[in-house]
Amino acid sequence: MRLGSGTFAAGCVVIEVLGVALFLRGFFPAPVRSFSGPEHHAETPAPEPSAGATSNWTNRPPPLFSKVVIMLIDGLRDDFVFGSKGVKFMPYTTYLVEKGASHSFVAEAKPPTVTMPRIKALMTGSLPGFIDVVRNLNSPALLEDNVITQAWASGRRIIFYGDETWVKLFPRHFVEYDGTTSFFVSDYTEVDDNVTRHLDAVLKRGDWDVLVLHYLGLDHIGHVSGPHSPLIGRKLGEMDSILMRIHTSLLSQERETSPPSLLVLCGDHGMAERGGHGASSVEEVNTALLLISSAFERKPGDVRRPQHVQQTDVAATLAIGLGLPIPKHSVGCLLLPVVAERAMREQLRLLHLNAVQLCRLLQENVPSYEREPGFEQFQKSERLHANWVRLYLEDSHADVLLSLGSKVRRQYSDALRTLSLALSAQGAHYDVYSMLVGAVVVLEVLALLLLSVPQALGATAELDVPLSSPVSCLLFYLTLLLLGAVHVIVCTSAESSCYFCSLAWPAVATVLALASALLCAVASALTRTLVGGELLRRNPAHSGPRWPELDLLLLLGTLGHAASLGSSSFVEEEHQTWYFLVNTLCLALGHDICRRCFPGDDGDRAEWLAGAAPTRPDKSPRHDVLDLDQRRKGRSSLDALRGPEKWMVLASPWLVLSCCRLLRSLNHTGVQWAHRPDLGHWLASSHHKAELSVLAALCLLAIFMLAHRRCSPVSRVAMALGLLGVYCYRAATGHLLLPWQRESKGISKGIVEARFVYVFVLGLLFMGTKDLLKSRVIAADHTHQPTGLRDLHGGLVLLAALLVRPHNLPVLLCSLLVQAVMTRFVWRPLRHSAAEVTAMHYWFGQAFFYFQGNSNNIATVDISAGFVGLNTYMEVPAMFLTAFSTYAGPVLWASHLVNFLSSDTRSGSALRHACFCYALLCSLPVSAYILLVTSLRYHLFIWSVFSPKLLYEGMHLLLTAAVCLSFVASDRSHAKS
Amino acid sequence: MSAGPFQIATQEYTMKNTDIKRLLYTHLLCIFSIILSIFIPSFFLDNFSVLETHLTWLCICSVFVTAVNLVLYLVVKPNTSTKRSSSHKVTRFLKCCIYFLMSCFLFHVIFVLYGAPLIELVLETFLFAVILSTFTTVPCLCLLGPNVKAWLRVFSRNGVTSIWENSLQITTISSFVGTWLGAFPIPLDWERPWQVWPISCTLGATFGYVAGLVISPLWIYWNRKQLTYKTN
């Protein structure tokens, strides 16, 4: 069967997406689990160890605290409480930290530092897998053993106010709750007032045991304006006063008869310097943790630096504080200062309970647990503990008991720490089999694409796909049989859980058949290439083509970028790679143009002149990238350019370079230079609203002028109104100022304005699609220029203008400007081949992805874009809008590529070449990255640097599949033939 | 008469061989000047080292290489074909100076476009531009003079007319490539002193220049049979 190379490439990318999905599922580990059933409550607690004499203390230790208030402030970074900001804005908390009866810690959150996994970590004490980020937006009920469920089961009355995520996680557990949705990031007062308004009544009633408050405002401020915004201080002051209210109320209600109450102030994650969170920088990971209770000793006032602990320790401490069993999957250890005032026997008992729980988890997750150092330490301390209990029961001397007891306590806490570390490391456990199957599929697709390059980029842009041969081929059946056998062997012998094994057998069979069919296709393509190569070698007339510098640069740049992904620094600073490559590309183009405009010696000039004679009036669509001579002749049109145009051609690379330099200083991303002041921050700060408004207005105007040249009047009007709507939307949300609106009005969500813009976006897209379909159905006049594609492009530009933050509008403008300049003065006059133009579009698309302020770090994803014009959280539109605003740069460049190639009527196969090249360019780094990540899976930075990038690559490949499919859809040459 | 062409060929061949020898010696002298610029200043200046007092080294290296190039140009006189008149010598020299400064500014602009800070570290960036100009523009000026057409000819494909121009092409391109590669270590998190802007790039340029100086005589010697130059 003959297939267009575009269709072939799109099919390949779709298969590759499947492979990458399988790989990702295997790569992100399942968290540490205990396999015993949920009948935990009936179990009796581990008895106190004793040697000789039997202990008389077998029941569970009593609760240490009668009431617990958990005040969770989203994004409470450690220095907001313990740093200079805390001293300035949180006077009461600072007083408690320095002089009050409290223990302060810096709790380290594990990445991903996103709210839902962090809540899970705080309540279950386990480490949620990285994959939980994806489920963050749609959190199902928490089924794991956790403190809230334990407390609920033991009859405590729990009240909750705050982030709705909790209500989804614990649907039946709260006797009273009021959830606020966390998705209107620009709102930071109402979300908190919604929590605080219940406070007075609840504190007065006192008919509860556990009160959970989750304040979202601080995190929202961080998302919108960063950790150095003046709003942060005000919010911290508000939080401080709330803390004081709760604390004084708790103190006034304490009775002598019942145990004291506990107030926990904590953050779920920190806040990066840019205001986001999700990754593993120090600012995002370190959160404040403050435990306040009258049971603690008052501090004399010496300011010590707070101790660093793990966030997972909170669950174990809370469980012990409430007299509950420690959650089964908890990998945390008890915070020793909390129990330091209790009797020695009780302290040891509690430590023993925690150690027994951790050891049980270790036994269930590590086959060779007996050799673990933590387990040995535990056994040693248990023996010492037993001796201590015997001495205690024999009424030994108090001093002896105390010194020996503190030794045992130290032993226990060392053992706990080692056990906790060993269990945390268990999280990095890969499902290698699924990874392998996914990687094999991806690599086979890449090999197939690479092997079909000569055919697919040939003149007709068609290739033979032997669809029938795999079915009849012996190799196919042999491979399938072999793979099936391997599958059965692996799945029956696997000790740990494996995703691919747990799939239903039709799915498995499909994947295996796909893998073996691909293998057959690769083998047949390989033999064809070898045979063809031999024929080529026998033909002496056909000398190897000489690569022009530009092609060499494009090839080496793409390969070099793929290779650079092996280094964590280059992944963190990938934007630098792209900026560097794009700059070099522009300089190379400048050099090329210069050489063409001023041909050096006379011989050269003669050659050009000869070429400039009316060449190729032939209509044959022959267009071969490898056929250089022909192209060289075609390229001579530069001499024909008139004076000013020639100078514009000469100046255009420099114009593009200056645009890129400007955008580069707009958003600093990455890690090393991200903290430098940049234009984007300057514009986004609240003091420069007027400047931002003027800039945004100018940008929108320029976008209108650039985006809709040569368009129908209807779409022009739609575009103009849409862009006006964008400005109104931003003015309504309080980002921009309207000239007639002096005093600042209340901030609204701008639903009406945003929907007004959506109407025009949809209208443009609809018109474009209609035109496209019409031209495909009629397909009579080849000369008819497709306006449909232009309308589609305009619709996408309008959508991007609505979704990107206002200070990023210059990025959008520059991308349109660069596209226009390059089209008019570089690609058209120099007649670059479709493959070259595609590679350049791909490079620019990648560079613009980073110009927008994105990075290979989850924190930079602008989730507020997902809620533009939506009243309530809707999963599908929100995800689509967020993805579009993140990938606006690459998408707009790809859409421009389609526009450019289909308006350029030089060759019918250009679009197919472009589609093939685009697929190849995207799948090359993905495949290389999958190999690199597999080999680096025990690297120190695998979770913090490499795995977010893997998610980005997966998303990018998905996008590429969509782009390739739309290339195929808009390819009109099918209709023609 | 029949032996004529053969004789000319052998003459050319021997001429070429002596030329290659001269080329090699001049290049060795250039390399020697760079090595000297590393070691001599430490006798006169306290705390001199290439990395710590990098800017001083840049100036000294630039001066040394320029001086050696000028001296070699005056001694060897490779381009006999260019006609010179003594009356224009001063204007010619001034023109060369202006060209040198212009190339420095052009390189500075290109570095800023590549992402060098615009306001901070201006001196560092400019000295980097100066050293790169020293490695590329100064030899061009010495050999070709302030003649843009000749430059364009040399740097277009098949435009070289002598081994001197050929070696010029090779050293210039390798200096640029060295500079380009020198930017690669900057984003790495090794925290080494030589990763600071612009040290890695200047070192890259120097290594590229030295590599070009070494490679070009060898390459020309290797390909001496295939190389035929048009005589203008």
Side-chain angles (χ1 to χ4, degrees):
Chain A
M1 190 178 110
R2 286 191 78 76
L3 216 58
S5 53
T7 322
F8 170 71
C12 281
V13 177
V14 169
I15 296 175
E16 205 171 359
V17 168
L18 278 181
V20 170
L22 193 59
F23 181 86
L24 284 178
R25 188 60 185 73
F27 182 78
F28 290 106
V32 177
R33 286 281 171 272
S34 165
F35 299 113
S36 56
E39 64 280 358
H40 195 82
H41 317 296
E43 276 177 43
T44 48
E48 200 173 24
S50 55
T54 46
S55 162
N56 52 358
W57 192 18
T58 51
N59 53 349
R60 190 168 297 286
L64 310 179
F65 307 105
S66 61
K67 275 185 181 172
V68 173
V69 180
I70 301 170
M71 182 176 170
L72 192 138
I73 302 176
D74 217 287
L76 188 69
R77 200 160 96 171
D78 60 336
D79 67 322
F80 287 168
V81 178
F82 307 126
S84 59
K85 277 211 174 72
V87 174
K88 197 168 160 198
F89 300 113
M90 303 186 82
Y92 187 74
T93 317
T94 311
Y95 162 77
L96 285 178
V97 168
E98 284 172 3
K99 300 204 178 67
S102 70
H103 292 298
S104 44
F105 305 94
V106 174
E108 193 184 308
K110 284 271 184 291
T113 46
V114 183
T115 299
M116 194 197 64
R118 280 2 301 156
I119 294 176
K120 283 191 185 173
L122 280 168
M123 289 301 123
T124 63
S126 63
L127 294 169
F130 212 87
I131 208 76
D132 274 332
V133 187
V134 186
R135 300 192 199 135
N136 184 17
L137 297 175
N138 180 26
S139 42
L142 185 58
L143 299 174
E144 264 180 75
D145 191 14
N146 62 73
V147 178
I148 297 286
T149 310
Q150 294 274 8
W152 173 70
S154 69
R156 310 291 169 95
R157 295 170 59 82
I158 312 168
I159 293 183
F160 169 77
Y161 300 114
D163 187 357
E164 219 178 20
T165 315
W166 285 77
V167 184
K168 286 183 188 156
L169 284 176
F170 308 106
R172 305 164 293 151
H173 301 63
F174 304 125
V175 289
E176 193 182 316
Y177 62 84
D178 184 11
T180 39
T181 175
S182 72
F183 287 108
F184 289 108
V185 173
S186 47
D187 163 37
Y188 49 82
T189 44
E190 217 171 288
V191 275
D192 288 354
D193 291 342
N194 210 18
V195 180
T196 314
R197 67 193 163 110
H198 301 286
L199 212 54
D200 275 329
V202 165
L203 287 175
K204 210 172 284 169
R205 278 193 348 236
D207 58 344
W208 43 266
D209 302 299
V210 180
L211 173 64
V212 183
L213 307 167
H214 188 145
Y215 283 98
L216 285 166
L218 189 70
D219 185 51
H220 287 191
I221 293 173
H223 275 296
V224 173
S225 51
H228 301 296
S229 155
L231 294 171
I232 293 272
R234 229 179 295 158
K235 181 57 75 179
L236 287 178
E238 183 192 331
M239 292 296 129
D240 190 51
S241 63
I242 291 167
L243 184 91
M244 185 162 82
R245 261 164 73 187
I246 300 171
H247 190 220
T248 43
S249 156
L250 284 179
L251 283 182
S252 68
Q253 287 179 2
E254 268 180 19
R255 310 259 181 285
E256 284 295 320
T257 48
S258 62
S261 51
L262 173 71
L263 172 55
V264 181
L265 173 74
C266 60
D268 55 346
H269 50 73
M271 194 182 285
E273 279 304 300
R274 297 178 64 88
H277 55 87
S280 58
S281 70
V282 179
E283 291 84 12
E284 287 159 273
V285 160
N286 284 346
T287 66
L289 173 62
L290 186 63
L291 304 174
I292 307 160
S293 169
S294 52
F296 303 149
E297 198 178 348
R298 271 180 173 276
K299 276 181 256 176
D302 60 330
V303 186
R304 276 172 299 176
R305 288 192 57 76
Q307 195 190 338
H308 274 256
V309 296
Q310 293 296 316
Q311 202 177 33
T312 43
D313 297 346
V314 174
T317 310
L318 278 179
I320 284 172
L322 285 166
L324 303 167
I326 299 171
K328 270 188 295 184
H329 308 136
S330 162
V331 298
C333 35
L334 171 67
L335 296 173
L336 207 50
V338 174
V339 294
E341 271 79 53
R342 313 294 296 189
M344 182 57 82
R345 187 178 181 191
E346 196 179 346
Q347 284 185 41
L348 294 183
R349 177 82 209 279
L350 294 172
L351 284 168
H352 178 242
L353 281 178
N354 193 354
V356 166
Q357 175 260 334
L358 286 179
C359 274
R360 193 172 295 157
L361 199 59
L362 191 76
Q363 282 175 19
E364 280 163 352
N365 282 287
V366 184
S368 57
Y369 65 92
E370 276 154 343
R371 285 196 298 276
E372 288 283 332
F375 190 74
E376 285 163 13
Q377 279 178 14
F378 163 69
Q379 284 179 323
K380 196 173 151 201
S381 11
E382 200 174 31
R383 273 197 303 278
L384 277 172
H385 187 190
N387 284 334
W388 187 87
V389 170
R390 202 191 60 218
L391 285 176
Y392 179 83
L393 292 177
E394 286 166 2
D395 278 335
S396 292
H397 198 273
D399 285 348
V400 178
L401 280 178
L402 190 66
S403 63
L404 197 62
S406 38
K407 194 181 162 204
V408 179
R409 191 172 59 186
R410 204 167 48 244
Q411 284 276 349
Y412 262 131
S413 70
D414 286 349
L416 285 177
R417 187 117 318 123
T418 324
L419 282 169
S420 168
L421 270 176
L423 282 166
S424 308
Q426 272 294 301
H429 164 81
Y430 300 99
D431 176 2
V432 179
Y433 181 52
S434 308
M435 278 164 69
L436 214 64
V437 174
V440 163
V441 170
V442 170
L443 289 179
E444 279 174 350
V445 168
L446 181 71
L448 195 58
L449 279 173
L450 282 176
L451 285 172
S452 48
V453 164
Q455 247 194 321
L457 292 185
T460 51
E462 280 183 346
L463 34 79
D464 274 320
V465 182
L467 275 186
S468 54
S469 76
V471 185
S472 58
C473 172
L474 186 63
L475 181 66
F476 171 74
Y477 289 108
L478 278 178
T479 330
L480 188 58
L481 214 62
L482 193 71
L483 285 178
V486 167
H487 182 76
V488 169
I489 291 171
V490 167
C491 289
T492 47
S493 65
E495 290 162 7
S496 53
S497 65
C498 166
Y499 173 71
F500 194 55
C501 293
S502 64
L503 277 179
W505 66 265
V508 171
T510 316
V511 170
L512 293 183
L514 201 63
S516 21
L518 279 171
L519 190 72
C520 286
V522 168
S524 78
L526 197 63
T527 45
R528 202 169 48 207
T529 316
L530 287 179
V531 171
E534 241 158 64
L535 280 179
L536 242 162
R537 231 170 286 134
R538 274 186 216 145
N539 188 358
H542 194 293
S543 59
R546 202 176 147 195
W547 285 77
E549 288 90 343
L550 197 68
D551 290 7
L552 206 64
L553 173 69
L554 288 171
L555 186 74
L556 285 182
T558 310
L559 290 179
H561 163 252
S564 79
L565 294 176
S567 149
S568 61
S569 307
F570 277 117
V571 172
E572 281 174 342
E573 310 287 337
E574 200 191 336
H575 57 290
Q576 302 280 7
T577 314
W578 283 115
Y579 299 165
F580 196 70
L581 286 177
V582 164
N583 271 331
T584 310
L585 174 69
C586 284
L587 283 182
L589 281 174
H591 178 228
D592 210 22
I593 290 169
C594 220
R595 230 167 46 183
R596 289 267 185 88
C597 281
F598 309 106
D601 59 353
D602 295 329
D604 259 1
R605 181 172 285 279
E607 189 191 319
W608 294 122
L609 283 177
T615 50
R616 297 200 301 160
D618 50 339
K619 281 273 195 283
S620 71
R622 171 150 184 77
H623 183 87
D624 195 337
V625 267
L626 302 176
D627 198 350
L628 289 175
D629 287 341
Q630 219 172 23
R631 212 180 50 198
R632 266 181 152 230
K633 270 184 210 158
R635 276 186 176 184
S636 54
S637 59
L638 263 190
D639 275 349
L641 290 178
R642 278 164 286 115
E645 199 145 341
K646 190 170 175 178
W647 289 113
M648 268 314 291
V649 170
L650 276 171
S652 55
W654 299 94
L655 189 69
V656 174
L657 277 173
S658 345
C659 273
C660 290
R661 181 65 180 91
L662 199 76
L663 293 182
R664 195 188 172 109
S665 47
L666 190 65
N667 286 310
H668 284 161
T669 79
V671 173
Q672 281 194 47
W673 296 283
H675 60 276
R676 295 267 186 91
D678 55 18
L679 279 176
H681 269 91
W682 187 84
L683 284 171
S685 76
S686 48
H687 305 296
H688 303 115
K689 235 180 210 177
E691 287 91 335
L692 183 63
S693 307
V694 172
L695 184 74
L698 287 178
C699 281
L700 290 173
L701 197 68
I703 287 171
F704 171 66
M705 301 204 322
L706 279 171
H708 262 232
R709 292 165 309 146
R710 294 174 299 157
C711 266
S712 61
V714 180
S715 51
R716 267 182 106 89
V717 170
M719 191 76 181
L721 287 175
L723 289 173
L724 208 64
V726 170
Y727 193 90
C728 292
Y729 167 71
R730 287 295 169 187
T733 50
H735 290 103
L736 302 178
L737 294 173
L738 286 170
W740 55 85
Q741 184 187 313
R742 283 289 128 212
E743 76 286 355
S744 57
K745 207 182 61 174
I747 297 166
S748 77
K749 286 166 188 166
I751 303 276
V752 181
E753 289 87 347
R755 288 189 178 164
F756 177 74
V757 181
Y758 281 140
V759 168
F760 290 109
V761 171
L762 291 177
L764 280 171
L765 293 181
F766 175 72
M767 263 166 41
T769 322
K770 199 191 73 186
D771 266 21
L772 215 63
L773 287 177
K774 216 159 79 184
S775 72
R776 284 199 82 163
V777 170
I778 299 168
D781 45 15
H782 293 198
T783 51
H784 171 69
Q785 289 280 324
T787 55
L789 283 173
R790 218 168 286 145
D791 283 344
L792 281 177
H793 187 63
L796 291 180
V797 169
L798 186 57
L799 185 59
L802 176 67
L803 294 181
V804 297
R805 300 184 195 202
H807 71 260
N808 272 339
L809 282 173
V811 180
L812 196 58
L813 170 64
C814 280
S815 100
L816 293 178
L817 187 70
V818 171
Q819 282 167 2
V821 166
M822 292 292 273
T823 307
R824 178 113 192 269
F825 299 115
V826 180
W827 291 321
R828 283 241 170 89
L830 295 192
R831 303 215 184 162
H832 285 117
S833 72
E836 285 169 330
V837 172
T838 311
M840 289 188 224
H841 269 90
Y842 176 74
W843 282 23
F844 272 109
Q846 290 299 105
F848 273 83
F849 175 74
Y850 293 104
F851 283 141
Q852 283 174 267
N854 289 320
S855 69
N856 286 328
N857 180 330
I858 293 188
T860 50
V861 175
D862 177 18
I863 51 164
S864 63
F867 306 96
V868 173
L870 297 183
N871 233 338
T872 52
Y873 171 63
M874 285 185 275
E875 193 171 351
V876 177
M879 272 160 91
F880 171 76
L881 291 176
T882 312
F884 181 80
S885 85
T886 310
Y887 283 94
V891 168
L892 287 183
W893 277 90
S895 121
H896 181 262
L897 179 61
V898 182
N899 253 311
F900 171 69
L901 288 179
S902 51
S903 69
D904 206 40
T905 51
R906 51 180 168 178
S907 160
S909 57
L911 210 56
R912 290 191 231 164
H913 284 158
C915 182
F916 185 82
C917 288
Y918 202 85
L920 191 62
L921 281 169
C922 293
S923 48
L924 188 75
V926 172
S927 322
Y929 195 66
I930 278 184
L931 280 186
L932 286 169
V933 160
T934 313
S935 60
L936 292 174
R937 63 187 183 281
Y938 298 113
H939 193 278
L940 182 60
F941 296 144
I942 190 73
W943 294 115
S944 53
V945 177
F946 289 111
S947 44
K949 170 69 183 160
L950 192 61
L951 289 179
Y952 271 102
E953 282 293 331
M955 189 62 211
H956 189 213
L957 192 73
L958 193 65
L959 195 84
T960 308
V963 165
C964 284
L965 289 176
S966 67
F967 268 60
V968 173
S970 61
D971 185 6
R972 294 192 313 144
S973 52
H974 279 296
K976 264 187 252 171
S977 63
Chain B
M1 287 301 280
S2 61
F6 179 70
Q7 246 172 3
I8 291 169
T10 42
Q11 257 179 8
E12 268 185 8
Y13 188 68
T14 47
M15 253 182 73
K16 215 187 237 172
N17 267 350
T18 51
D19 255 7
I20 293 174
K21 229 173 247 170
R22 278 163 73 198
L23 185 75
L24 182 67
Y25 291 142
T26 53
H27 281 188
L28 285 179
L29 269 174
C30 285
I31 297 174
F32 189 62
S33 75
I34 290 178
I35 295 171
L36 278 186
S37 77
I38 296 171
F39 291 108
I40 286 193
S42 51
F43 295 116
F44 302 102
L45 300 168
D46 297 332
N47 313 322
F48 177 84
S49 79
V50 173
L51 290 185
E52 273 147 44
T53 53
H54 191 68
L55 298 185
T56 327
W57 176 72
L58 282 186
C59 296
I60 292 168
C61 182
S62 172
V63 168
F64 270 50
V65 173
T66 313
V68 167
N69 264 303
L70 280 176
V71 168
L72 286 175
Y73 159 70
L74 291 174
V75 172
V76 182
K77 287 200 175 61
N79 51 343
T80 45
S81 64
T82 320
K83 43 203 175 296
R84 281 189 305 272
S85 51
S86 53
S87 63
H88 287 131
K89 251 184 180 163
V90 179
T91 51
R92 199 181 142 86
F93 180 73
L94 281 178
K95 238 178 160 180
C96 282
C97 288
I98 291 170
Y99 269 57
F100 178 74
L101 273 180
M102 270 167 60
S103 88
C104 289
F105 284 118
L106 179 71
F107 283 139
H108 190 110
V109 168
I110 289 179
F111 297 152
V112 170
L113 288 176
Y114 258 99
L118 185 65
I119 299 159
E120 306 143 39
L121 303 174
V122 175
L123 187 65
E124 280 84 349
T125 312
F126 189 72
L127 283 179
F128 172 32
V130 168
I131 195 106
L132 190 58
S133 300
T134 312
F135 291 150
T136 56
T137 318
V138 167
C140 286
L141 285 171
C142 286
L143 200 66
L144 306 170
N147 179 357
V148 183
K149 262 194 181 152
W151 291 27
L152 281 170
R153 172 176 56 77
V154 170
F155 290 105
S156 62
R157 211 175 261 178
N158 312 323
V160 288
T161 54
S162 70
I163 58 164
W164 297 95
E165 288 177 0
N166 207 331
S167 76
L168 185 70
Q169 211 184 18
I170 293 172
T171 48
T172 310
I173 290 173
S174 68
S175 306
F176 283 137
V177 171
T179 315
W180 195 77
L181 292 176
F184 280 47
I186 297 178
L188 293 172
D189 56 357
W190 297 341
E191 318 250 323
R192 295 294 150 86
W194 49 264
Q195 276 179 293
V196 181
W197 172 257
I199 298 181
S200 64
C201 286
T202 54
L203 292 184
T206 315
F207 284 127
Y209 180 58
V210 170
L213 289 177
V214 174
I215 289 166
S216 63
L218 296 178
W219 189 82
I220 289 168
Y221 182 74
W222 208 255
N223 293 317
R224 65 190 182 283
K225 297 258 169 60
Q226 286 95 314
L227 290 173
T228 50
Y229 300 110
K230 292 174 214 162
T231 46
N232 289 22

